[in-house]
Amino acid sequence: MSNASLHGAERRDWHVYKFGGSSVGTPGRLPRVLSLITEAQRPITVVVSALGDTTDWLISAARAAASGDSAGSSAELARVQSLAATIASTVLEGSVLTAQQATVDQLLAPIERLLTGVELTRECTPATLDEVVSVGERISSELVARALTARGVRALAVDARTFLVTDETAGSARVDIEASRAKLAPLVSGWEGVVPIITGFIARSHQGRTTTLGRNGSDYTATLLSWLLGARHVTVWTDVPGVMTADPALVRDAYPVPRMTYAEALELAHFGTRMFHPRTMIPLLESGAALHIRSTTEPQAPGTRIDAEGNPDPHRPTSVTSLERLALIHIESLRPTLSEPLGLRVLQALEAAQVTVWGGTLSALAPSISVVVPQAQAQKAHAVLEAALRAERDRHEVRVPPPHSPVTLVTLVAESMGHRPNVAGRFFHALGNVGVNVRAILQGASSRSVSCAVDAEDTAVAVRTVHSAFNLNETEINVLLVGKGTVGGRLLSQLAENTKTLQARHGVALRLVGVVDSRRALFDPTGIPPAEAGKRLAELSPGSASPPDVVPLLDRLSRLSVPVLVDCTAADGIETLYAAAFRRGIHVVAANKKPLARPWKESEALHALSREQFRAWHYETTVGASLPVIETLKNLVRTGDRVERIEGCFSGSLGYICHALMDGVPLSQAVRTARANGYTEPHPRDDLSGLDVARKALILARELGLELDLEDIAVEPLVPREHLDVEEPEAFLRSLTSLDADVSAQVARYRAAGRNLRYLAQILPHAPGGPRVKVGPVAVDAEHPATGLKGAEALVSFFTDRYREFPLIVRGAGAGGDVTAAGVLADILRLAQNVRGRR
């Protein structure tokens, strides 16, 4: 406790409460305020703000009067009077209510006369405005004191102008602490046994004129009072549950920071957090009092405690601020050195012109710098700098390009930054990983914050990304699932079974927010329990469009953190949906091969779009279901290995069919069973034609950089081509019975020769005459790796410089809803880990 606090008052453990305008001026909340005061430990002083929007209305009344609009001025005063009457009627009645209304009239009468003078002179000076707006807190103080008294709590309305002494600065006066202490001392003795209800925001100058304390003035009054009284605790009651980890309007998962230091609060104040003003913190720094931010509507919540110690937890949460409507001005030096440090001259010029500088790359010896200024002052700042650097500009030594706007200053504030490595690295890695373009890295003297300027359109994704990287125990992934067939249905089941485990063990919070089938679309940004998704979707009426238009859902999905479109369809033309997703900042996870098998230029353009937008496109399941075929090939290429040949049975469905044929099962029955088990494409013709394997081979060939198209692949179907013209799947299956005898006879000949029927793909990137890819049925001998395949197994062999003698083989279940869904889920988790980065 400060030794400079009031002598005598030190012996009393004062507590200071402060209630904001929304707490006292919103209908229904004042009774809660009165209860909090009644239940509080004594002795207590209470600081109150003006009711609701009263201060804004009083300012509007003064401006209207200054413009000669007497009717407008009177209307604004009437709003003040009406709100005061409305709030009073919720806590007072009878003669006490009448007395309060008379007090309001008495307080407003001189303001009405003052505004009449303003109307006549057409001028409202800052000093006059201070007098006008002071009436708001005085009304509030009288009302709360009278309401407490009516409830049996002795209370006293106290005008802070009786003890707070300031200089003559209108609008943002400076307090004379010693003079204020001297005036307060004789008043305190009269507060014995009563609750003083003190006006916030207002004071009186040495010359006796009404002054105001500026932004967050009532908070400043409360912390000043705590300093003067020697109080150890100040509680600011507001309409939020504490200092939030981010703006809840941008980050749905923002939550209160339980503890922070004075220094962290000062950093937040500097970077635009409306809850704080640096002057509010000064009395706390002097006195050592703790400041609590708590919610009037959630009084049971602990809120945020601000003191010298802060939070000792090394993993304590941090705050992310976003200061918007700014402009970035870049000043470039075209010479290694100038006669004077460039940064110093820039700052001096802007300060002289009274341009606010929120931050910048302000190293005085830097050859070029950037500064962030309010967007409204951008053109003025640009003109000031052009004039200040005119000589250097004329000699072509300095360039001052036009301002870049609008930008947002995104700042991470945390005391822990100075105690843990790689905080800044994680900050910029997180932003870069989601494609946010950092326009400037802004430096400060403190190790408690790191800032950067980003384009205004990237504000939401930047804040959410940084918040997720530093404040969440898990990475939240929001999934829109398109396709609820075999694979999509199994994916929903796996999500239902594994969501809690993924969150607890792997730090990934998977939220299903949408499901789309061929007739209906369901979307709920708050999340859909995967186990209920099918039922909820079925309850919807089919839309007029079939399939539904998914693009409007992408707009909603893009506003969520880490949005992912998951494609479990086999639909044609869905590449346009991928493009729309990438342009909206949405990642794509797909089990659909068709977009990857589009003509080379189209497929490459889609890949380029995903890279340009910094969106992931994962499609491991398009070759080998859940087997790591594509990632294995990518790693070989990344590490510089030379792939000589890729060979294998790429299709689990054809592998199953071939294995059944070798066991003596007729062709038509083998295909029908494979389809019933979910191994085949929706139309088994795509498997038996070799088209599905050809697409897979094409995908792998393109991963090698081969500019091939589907027609470049030599394809031999498993069945005669004339059978492939049957459009209806069931009719197609029936047509296969005519082939049963011939196929069984051919398989018997293979068995007799010691061979096995397999449907192979072969990719030869360096074949004479150019790359060659072929797929078709082959009778392999007993030495071939594919001979041992059973059921729906798939196999891919990579022959490379490093794996020349013994190929690198990937083998396992290559078809089926469960394994493919597991592969899709693995792709989603890989995306989550990439977004999460290093913790």
Side-chain angles (χ1 to χ4, degrees), residues 31 76 92 151 238 255-256 293 324 347 413 418 431 535 554 582 623 627 653 655 668 752 809:
E76 295 297 329
L92 302 175
R151 280 163 172 70
T238 181
Y255 59 96
I293 309 292
E324 301 182 51
L347 290 180
V413 176
L431 292 174
K535 179 182 177 183
L554 296 182
F582 292 144
V623 180
L627 297 179
S653 56
S668 59
I809 295 177

Side-chain angles (χ1 to χ4, degrees), residues 12 42 62 79 83 123 153 270 277 331 351 524 602 611 659 679 718 788:
R12 306 183 67 196
R42 301 293 191 269
R79 296 174 76 182
L83 178 61
E123 181 183 7
V153 178
H270 174 73
H277 189 278
I331 304 95
E351 182 180 9
D524 184 346
E602 293 181 23
R611 292 190 294 268
H659 186 263
Y679 296 155
L718 185 64

